[in-house]
Amino acid sequence: MKESLINRIKRIKIIIFDIDGVMTDGKIIYSSNGEEIKEFNVRDGHGIKLAKRAGMDIAVISGRASKILSARVKELGIDKHYQKALRKIEAYEDILRRYGYKDEETAYVGDDLPDIPVMRRCGFSIAVRDAVDEVKESAHLITQNCGGNGAVREVVDLILKTQGRWSMIMERYEA
């Protein structure tokens, strides 16, 4: 990994995730009752909990509103969540202003065009493997995994390992 990328990663204090296409595979399924159904990856969720345990802050920004998302962020203990954020840059700026972060302390993971303004501004921008080309062009890193299929965990593991926080995480699992 290039030294410039390592230096970016070492400054990260908060990871911000898009939802549809990053924490999910981007599919929205409706039941016969009209209820929305989404799938979330368990390892991605565990990665978020690991990040929080290591002292990393987590936020999510979604262009859509969803009861399922509200339930998932509650389950994961994510208190910084923005739904129906049609201009994600505004939610991003609110996070900076409200919680005192600087651009260089933020990582953002996205997959589609509405994510580009935030990706161009944050300290470390990540596109999931199956992101649209324009998002990949705006990214410092492209994940090996697709959205909803381990990309979140991949990002968390990379940041924690690069920052030297991984051994603290592993202490809990080593006998």
Side-chain angles (χ1 to χ4, degrees), residues 77-88:
I78 301 170
D79 58 350
K80 296 168 187 66
H81 54 95
Y82 295 77
Q83 296 191 54
K84 222 168 186 163
L86 301 179
R87 291 182 37 86
K88 293 182 180 186

Side-chain angles (χ1 to χ4, degrees), residues 5 8-9 11-17 61 88-89 92-93 95-96 101-110 115-127 135 138-141 155 159:
L5 190 58
R8 282 183 181 278
I9 295 169
R11 291 190 291 252
I12 300 306
K13 294 182 179 178
I14 182 170
I15 311 169
I16 307 168
F17 297 98
I61 301 174
K88 293 182 180 186
I89 193 70
Y92 173 78
E93 288 171 347
I95 291 168
L96 298 182
Y101 291 108
K102 299 175 185 166
D103 288 322
E104 61 270 14
E105 297 172 330
T106 63
Y108 185 86
V109 187
D115 300 312
I116 291 174
V118 177
M119 293 177 73
R120 287 185 176 159
R121 182 129 164 237
C122 71
F124 179 41
S125 59
I126 305 105
V135 168
S138 295
H140 296 113
L141 180 82
V155 168
I159 292 172

Side-chain angles (χ1 to χ4, degrees), residues 137-155:
E137 291 167 8
S138 295
H140 296 113
L141 180 82
I142 300 169
T143 63
Q144 296 296 308
N145 293 303
C146 293
N149 292 296
V152 168
R153 179 62 180 268
E154 180 182 340
V155 168

Side-chain angles (χ1 to χ4, degrees), residues 22 111 128:
V22 173
D111 74 307
V128 295

